[in-house]
Amino acid sequence: RIIQGIQMKRNLSRIKIGSSSSLVMLVLILAFVSLNFAAEFRWIKVGSLHNFYQAIGSEPEEDVGSEQQFGMRWNAFYDHQDMQAAKGMWIAVANYEDPVANATFEYKIAHCGPRPRPEIAANEFMPSAFGMTGKFAAPTIIVDGELASDLDWDDLVDEGGYDVFQKADRQIYNSVNTSTGISFDRNIYAFSQQYYDNFFIYEYTFVNTGVVSLDETISHDNTLEGVYFHWQFRNAVAGEGTVEGSVIDWRGRRGWGTPQNCRWGMNTMNSVIGEDPDNPVTTSMFADEYGRMGIDEFDYDNESMRAYYSWHGRHSTLSYDNIGSPNYQGWLADGMLGASQFMGAVVLHADMSTSDNSDNVYQPTTTQKIESNDAETVNNNQFSSARMERGYTQFVAAGHEPLNHAEQVKSQNQFPDQFSVAGGYSQTWSFGPYTMAPGDTVRIVVAEAAAGLSREMNQKVGNTWFRHVALGETPTAEMPDGSSKTLASVSDATEYKNSWVYTGRDSLMESFRRARFLYKNGLDMGSMTPPDPPQSFEVTSQGNRIFLTWSENASLTHANFEGYKLYRAKGQYDSTYYEIADLNESDGSLAHEYSDMSAERGQLYFYYIVSYDDGTTNVLEPGTALHSSPFYTRTNKGASMLKPPAENIDNVVIVPNPYVISNNTLQYVGEQNSIKFWNLPSACEINIFTERGDKIYTYEHEGSGVASWNLMTSSRQIIVSGVYIATFETPDGDKAIKKFVVIR
């Protein structure tokens, strides 16, 4: 309800003053809020992996975003990195005495996804608690007097929900009752330290409470047999590399040119490791043209790792090798890789039984693929004996396939889309069977992660491949093992590209190992805790510089604090950032302000700042500094070098005047809902009045010769058409008055 209240506040703030539709809009917003409690969600965006989580206990398709592919974004510095098309969770029971139907069913399954079902919260998965806590609050980020952080809206920690002793940077807690009588708590742990910021740890505690319905008078006290906990993962790696060539994105860029069905994962490959802990596979093999990966199931502690992972496989309709999804046919084709990520999940713990809490290395007991458009994924009928039997026997309790999905594709000598059905395949796993008496508990812990090539390597590798395949050049390329290779043929170029893409699997395995280490260490990073980010970060556009200031909390509270690093991107928020300053104690340059004098006038710049330590406590890479997350301080509003201040207030100009909303040619690019005040002195107070004299906006201007106003009042209401009066007054008392017109 907290998130819905904030969203309602945002919508209400945009209701126009004097609009006759205000009451209607208010009624519609309140209706929307009341109807969507079941879809309440939280984002976690403090690390490089971003995802949303829903109160209902899983994340079915299209319940949050307008796009089918919406979650699991890595590397989230860039747009369209989405890889999660849908996720489903089922709880299955055998020989179930159903107090709702007053009947006994041989099998019973409660569904939560993976396909959307509006009635799901009413009768199968029923949330009872949902919220988010944090180790510390996200910093306050200001650019030119306005809030300028994604976390302002997407980091919705509960009121009073901060605890400096909390181990995870963010923790979502979620309690759900289900129609099987098994309730569960889901705790989601997220970290922002650079070695642990690309995975989430999920801890499930299942309890036989007997609560089966929203009607509290209906329950049971039965011992439940044949209990399975089942998850489905529908992945499509990744959004940026699976946009059709005919589609033009928000930046005006034409898509990568891959077939549309790549977008929902028809060519997604799924591999499973660790199905048989008694006979782990330890022989690594080179990946072949179908994307089948080599396997090494051993974890850092010589235990067999139980995991699945997905990646972007080949597609039969393309004339080029699309592993990694190079930008080959797009409008600005340059070979850049748009889908080099690997994603998946690893088991960290699964109870042996309700009376034995040791880890059962034979769980999960089922690792089956499932058609993503299979009838079992939608329109569940929990009172249909035939439907429940099929779901239980053919999916939930089906065991391990002799060959996993990727191995089946290889054995059929086909591309994934040729092997696949219309929607592609999802990977599933099930834990069980358990027997649960009333009050018995089962705990399952998993980690979900994503990894792969950096943005710079996506550009370098893809472009080098493109230079031969598309342009006919023969560049010399560095292979992952450090050797050099001249790309004299298409097969040379493909081997080079794919070898680099497949290093992402190794990176994912390393992420699994780190998640496992952190879990076994009680989620305690110990000495590897980085300094906190500055509690505030302010960026101000001025006439001869862009001025940055920040708070000094990190330097006062972290024992091994060393300094700050500032990063800047030019032109757009979704871009590569470069270091522009290193202010540290070692060379005496430590400061809490910085003047960016190298900015070019007329360009927009985006910034972030990190605090870092001296590297002495880093046990993973000794000597490498631990730093705070860039996502805490990254600005989402551009700053720029502005016009130098005028010597006096006599020549203030308002542009455009009149402001006409329908005339795009007279509006500022990127700031269509703004007007600017030009030729301002270095300091003055700006006040905006309606024609009848009501003051609606006040701004204390300082630094440059220009200021921008977004046509919203100080209380965040959009102004209506009319004549407005602007007054300007300097500290010395000099005044100017101007009129302007707004036409909507």
Side-chain angles (χ1 to χ4, degrees):
R1 296 183 188 275
I2 294 172
I3 190 170
Q4 292 165 345
I6 293 176
Q7 290 171 329
M8 181 174 70
K9 181 179 179 181
R10 292 182 70 187
N11 289 327
L12 288 174
S13 72
R14 294 187 170 94
I15 297 177
K16 298 177 183 178
I17 298 173
S19 170
S20 62
S21 63
S22 297
L23 181 58
V24 174
M25 181 180 289
L26 176 60
V27 171
L28 290 174
I29 291 171
L30 291 173
F32 174 84
V33 170
S34 64
L35 289 173
N36 282 271
F37 170 68
E40 186 180 7
F41 63 94
R42 295 283 193 280
W43 276 97
I44 295 180
K45 289 188 172 184
V46 296
S48 63
L49 179 62
H50 293 178
N51 199 25
F52 66 91
Y53 296 96
Q54 294 185 255
I56 53 178
S58 188
E59 288 65 54
E61 177 183 311
E62 295 178 336
D63 267 17
V64 173
S66 58
E67 300 181 29
Q68 179 180 22
Q69 190 172 323
F70 199 67
M72 288 296 286
R73 302 173 176 179
W74 188 90
N75 186 329
F77 252 109
Y78 309 98
D79 282 339
H80 305 304
Q81 305 305 304
D82 314 82
M83 295 182 284
Q84 176 180 283
K87 188 183 294 182
M89 180 182 176
W90 301 353
I91 296 180
V93 182
N95 302 317
Y96 180 71
E97 297 179 20
D98 195 324
V100 175
N102 196 25
T104 298
F105 294 98
E106 187 174 3
Y107 304 105
K108 169 81 168 187
I109 304 178
H111 275 218
C112 183
R115 307 305 284 270
R117 294 185 56 250
E119 73 276 18
I120 194 169
N123 57 17
E124 292 185 58
F125 274 59
M126 299 157 282
S128 59
F130 186 60
M132 185 162 72
T133 59
K135 192 171 186 178
F136 53 81
T140 300
I141 311 301
I142 303 291
V143 174
D144 293 337
E146 295 187 357
L147 292 173
S149 170
D150 286 351
L151 299 185
D152 292 331
W153 298 110
D154 289 333
D155 190 46
L156 299 176
V157 174
D158 298 349
E159 185 176 357
Y162 295 106
D163 180 0
V164 295
F165 298 107
Q166 178 172 297
K167 293 176 180 178
D169 288 78
R170 293 293 182 268
Q171 177 177 340
I172 286 177
Y173 59 90
N174 187 191
S175 297
V176 181
N177 298 318
T178 75
S179 56
T180 63
I182 295 176
S183 304
F184 66 90
D185 291 331
R186 177 173 67 154
N187 284 290
I188 301 166
Y189 305 100
F191 303 84
S192 65
Q193 190 248 54
Q194 71 250 42
Y195 296 99
Y196 302 134
D197 76 336
N198 66 326
F199 60 78
F200 302 113
I201 293 177
Y202 309 142
E203 181 179 36
Y204 294 87
T205 303
F206 299 94
V207 186
N208 181 1
T209 62
V211 177
V212 298
S213 172
L214 291 172
D215 183 348
E216 297 180 359
T217 65
I218 302 176
S219 63
H220 69 64
D221 58 0
N222 301 328
T223 294
L224 301 177
E225 302 173 350
V227 176
Y228 282 90
F229 307 104
H230 169 90
W231 285 268
Q232 299 178 30
F233 306 89
R234 183 178 184 179
N235 302 325
V237 180
E240 185 173 33
T242 55
V243 179
E244 288 184 278
S246 61
V247 174
I248 298 178
D249 71 10
W250 64 272
R251 198 184 295 152
R253 262 186 345 193
R254 196 169 295 277
W256 251 234
T258 54
Q260 186 186 25
N261 54 33
C262 290
R263 180 70 172 164
W264 55 73
M266 190 173 184
N267 65 319
T268 293
M269 297 281 276
N270 302 293
S271 276
V272 180
I273 59 175
E275 305 102 303
D276 185 1
D278 294 330
N279 298 286
V281 178
T282 58
T283 302
S284 294
M285 299 170 289
F286 289 108
D288 60 27
E289 68 271 21
Y290 298 93
R292 184 170 183 247
M293 302 301 302
I295 298 173
D296 181 0
E297 295 183 359
F298 280 122
D299 200 354
Y300 70 93
D301 54 5
N302 208 34
E303 293 183 14
S304 181
M305 195 171 347
R306 301 112 71 189
Y308 95 91
Y309 55 94
S310 303
W311 72 96
H312 180 92
R314 291 288 306 278
H315 201 285
S316 64
T317 66
L318 297 172
S319 61
Y320 59 95
D321 181 280
N322 65 290
I323 294 297
S325 191
N327 185 9
Y328 185 70
Q329 300 181 131
W331 181 37
L332 298 177
D334 59 1
M336 178 177 157
L337 303 178
S340 66
Q341 299 94 321
F342 284 71
M343 66 175 296
V346 61
V347 179
L348 304 182
H349 176 88
D351 278 353
M352 187 71 69
S353 68
T354 58
S355 59
D356 184 350
N357 301 136
S358 60
D359 182 30
N360 185 348
V361 298
Y362 298 98
Q363 297 285 1
T365 52
T366 294
T367 53
Q368 294 272 333
K369 69 181 185 305
I370 183 173
E371 296 180 10
S372 295
N373 287 341
D374 191 282
E376 294 295 321
T377 67
V378 293
N379 301 321
N380 185 44
N381 182 350
Q382 62 175 324
F383 305 114
S384 166
S385 297
R387 177 66 185 270
M388 294 301 99
E389 180 180 6
R390 180 171 182 262
Y392 193 101
T393 60
Q394 296 187 26
F395 297 102
V396 173
H400 304 295
E401 296 178 285
L403 298 176
N404 64 50
H405 173 218
E407 292 168 338
Q408 291 175 42
V409 172
K410 171 63 177 177
S411 69
Q412 296 293 320
N413 199 30
Q414 293 178 314
F415 294 106
D417 64 292
Q418 294 172 321
F419 176 85
S420 183
V421 290
Y425 280 101
S426 300
Q427 183 60 47
T428 76
W429 62 16
S430 303
F431 297 74
Y434 293 99
T435 298
M436 302 181 68
D440 279 354
T441 65
V442 171
R443 191 167 66 95
I444 296 171
V445 187
V446 301
E448 196 169 19
L453 296 177
S454 67
R455 189 72 166 186
E456 292 77 12
M457 287 303 296
N458 280 331
Q459 293 171 331
K460 178 181 178 180
V461 172
N463 184 253
T464 303
W465 171 86
F466 185 80
R467 286 170 59 195
H468 176 80
V469 175
L471 305 180
E473 300 178 13
T474 56
T476 299
E478 181 182 1
M479 301 295 285
D481 63 4
S483 63
S484 295
K485 186 180 185 68
T486 299
L487 307 187
S489 67
V490 171
S491 61
D492 288 340
T494 298
E495 180 188 355
Y496 159 75
K497 170 177 65 70
N498 293 359
S499 295
W500 275 107
V501 171
Y502 293 143
T503 64
R505 176 192 174 276
D506 299 327
S507 298
L508 181 65
M509 295 300 117
E510 180 60 25
S511 300
F512 287 167
R513 294 183 184 99
R514 289 175 179 174
R516 187 168 182 172
F517 171 82
L518 191 59
Y519 167 71
K520 288 193 170 185
N521 203 42
L523 304 181
D524 190 353
M525 289 186 292
S527 63
M528 286 191 61
T529 302
D532 291 347
Q535 290 175 339
S536 63
F537 181 45
E538 185 166 1
V539 180
T540 305
S541 301
Q542 296 185 354
N544 60 352
R545 62 179 179 174
I546 299 177
F547 187 54
L548 301 91
T549 62
W550 56 94
S551 59
E552 59 180 348
N553 57 287
S555 63
L556 300 175
T557 58
H558 195 280
N560 298 100
F561 173 84
E562 177 66 17
Y564 305 99
K565 290 188 178 183
L566 284 162
Y567 294 81
R568 185 184 76 183
K570 179 180 178 180
Q572 60 196 38
Y573 169 62
D574 168 24
S575 184
T576 300
Y577 287 69
Y578 298 95
E579 182 182 324
I580 61 170
D582 183 355
L583 308 172
N584 61 77
E585 293 184 331
S586 298
D587 62 12
S589 64
L590 184 65
H592 293 89
E593 62 180 42
Y594 180 79
S595 294
D596 186 359
M597 308 295 293
S598 63
E600 300 173 19
R601 199 176 304 279
Q603 294 285 347
L604 286 176
Y605 292 93
F606 300 84
Y607 297 87
Y608 70 82
I609 184 173
V610 297
S611 312
Y612 68 92
D613 69 10
D614 58 13
T616 58
T617 62
N618 188 339
V619 297
L620 294 177
E621 293 184 85
T624 299
L626 300 171
H627 60 74
S628 60
S629 171
F631 292 92
Y632 282 122
T633 58
R634 187 169 67 150
T635 64
N636 62 14
K637 181 180 186 298
S640 62
M641 289 269 282
L642 300 178
K643 180 180 176 64
E647 295 183 358
N648 55 56
I649 206 169
D650 297 337
N651 299 309
V652 175
V653 177
I654 300 175
V655 180
N657 188 12
Y659 169 87
V660 183
I661 193 171
S662 61
N663 193 341
N664 293 330
T665 61
L666 295 181
Q667 297 168 11
Y668 294 99
V669 177
E671 298 180 85
Q672 284 81 3
N673 296 315
S674 296
I675 63 174
K676 291 186 183 293
F677 307 109
W678 293 88
N679 300 327
L680 296 173
S682 59
C684 67
E685 181 180 274
I686 304 173
N687 288 289
I688 309 295
F689 299 86
T690 64
E691 191 174 24
R692 69 178 187 179
D694 298 323
K695 184 163 68 173
I696 59 172
Y697 181 76
T698 297
Y699 176 64
E700 295 292 338
H701 169 71
E702 184 176 0
S704 72
V706 62
S708 179
W709 182 44
N710 62 2
L711 303 179
M712 297 181 72
T713 70
S714 296
S715 58
R716 307 295 293 173
Q717 295 173 311
I718 297 174
I719 65 171
V720 296
S721 298
V723 177
Y724 293 86
I725 301 166
T727 66
F728 309 86
E729 184 173 0
T730 69
D732 296 332
D734 295 333
K735 297 180 181 179
I737 299 176
K738 300 288 181 179
K739 283 188 176 183
F740 62 96
V741 176
V742 172
I743 301 174
R744 294 192 178 276

